[in-house]
Amino acid sequence: MACFAGEPQGCSNLGFLYTNGLGVAVDYKRAHVLFQQACDGGNAGGCAGLGFLYDQGLGVAVDYKRAHVLYQQACDRGEAGGCTNLGVLYAKGEGVAVDHGRARALYQQACDGEEAGGCTNLGGLYSKGLGVEMDHGRARALFQQTCDGGEAKPRSLVLNPSRNDFVFQGLRSPTREHRRGSQSGTWLKRYQSSLGQGHDRHS
């Protein structure tokens, strides 16, 4: 198996399967070990996956500060989904002070990286005037960009009822990382609601 041959992407992929119970029984503890191994090996998706476990309290106690560090690592390494999730922490004030300006910058970075959640969440900020001047035209364009598909369209979103969160499932569509020659990305994403009151997630 690629993971045991020292390939961090293989560990990240395997961690994703254990997190979602795809072909194996769900095992968050095993996923934690695999994502940690991938992250330690420099794999951005592994850092993002590990951050998601801490963010959601899957197999570990919820630890937003740890999730913040891991999402930042993922974002810095070019994983656009890590930027989206980091932005959600700032938008929600989870482990950090609420900072819509910082959330906006992170969502923009993710959206520029063709990550659907970043575009959607950025549109939500424009629709509500949070951290930016309210601009429904800009919000509409961002929502349209996500709706139109291509690389910015998520393949599958599954509701996590325990936290009213959506979780991205399925190997994600090709991204810049994939085009550079890596295997299919393995990755879980949080989506803040673009509509409704405050910063509730999709319901």
Side-chain angles (χ1 to χ4, degrees), residues 146-157:
T146 304
C147 181
D148 285 343
E151 291 188 337
K153 185 175 182 179
R155 289 176 59 183
S156 177
L157 286 174

Side-chain angles (χ1 to χ4, degrees), residues 166-179:
F166 275 92
V167 185
F168 180 80
Q169 282 196 342
L171 297 182
R172 61 176 227 211
S173 303
T175 63
R176 290 182 303 163
E177 182 180 30
H178 180 65
R179 288 204 298 269

Side-chain angles (χ1 to χ4, degrees), residues 185-202:
T186 60
W187 180 197
L188 308 165
K189 300 170 184 174
R190 294 172 69 192
Y191 289 82
Q192 160 197 332
S193 175
S194 59
L195 301 173
Q197 301 300 313
H199 289 275
D200 293 339
R201 294 175 179 82
H202 285 296

Side-chain angles (χ1 to χ4, degrees), residues 14 17 19 24-25 39 46 49 58 81 104 111 121 123 137 147 180 190:
L14 194 56
L17 297 183
T19 300
V24 294
C39 186
L58 301 175
R104 183 207 61 76
C111 188
N121 290 355
C147 181
R180 287 200 299 267
R190 294 172 69 192

Side-chain angles (χ1 to χ4, degrees), residues 17-33:
L17 297 183
Y18 276 105
T19 300
N20 289 278
L22 300 175
V24 294
V26 170
D27 188 339
Y28 298 131
K29 297 289 188 183
R30 180 66 178 142
H32 183 284
V33 170

